[in-house]
Amino acid sequence: MFAQKLILGSLRWRLAQMLSAVKAAKLRRDLYLSTLSELRGLSDRELADLGIPRAHIRRIALETSRKDKT
């Protein structure tokens, strides 16, 4: 009985960890897509004013989504 409770608790913990990781990945993906969309919507002039070459948009969006939020 004790072993079953221990296993069940361990499985619940693993499931909670996996769900947390999936939620974090979804938030990062949403931020990436949002940033990508915003930057792609800017004109070449607006990007130049920000000092961002159009070729760097994907990299900037990826870096933004990977930043630590703590």
Side-chain angles (χ1 to χ4, degrees), residues 49-69:
D49 288 345
L50 295 171
I52 301 172
R54 189 164 291 280
H56 292 182
I57 288 176
R58 289 179 65 201
R59 180 183 53 83
I60 292 169
L62 186 61
E63 288 173 357
T64 299
S65 69
R66 290 184 174 173
K67 285 183 182 173
D68 186 18
K69 301 298 182 209

Side-chain angles (χ1 to χ4, degrees), residues 17-37 57-70:
Q17 292 297 316
M18 287 188 334
L19 288 175
S20 177
V22 168
K23 286 179 184 178
K26 183 181 181 335
L27 288 173
R28 284 191 308 271
R29 179 70 177 171
D30 290 347
L31 179 58
Y32 169 78
L33 292 174
S34 173
T35 304
L36 191 64
S37 176
I57 288 176
R58 289 179 65 201
R59 180 183 53 83
I60 292 169
L62 186 61
E63 288 173 357
T64 299
S65 69
R66 290 184 174 173
K67 285 183 182 173
D68 186 18
K69 301 298 182 209
T70 57

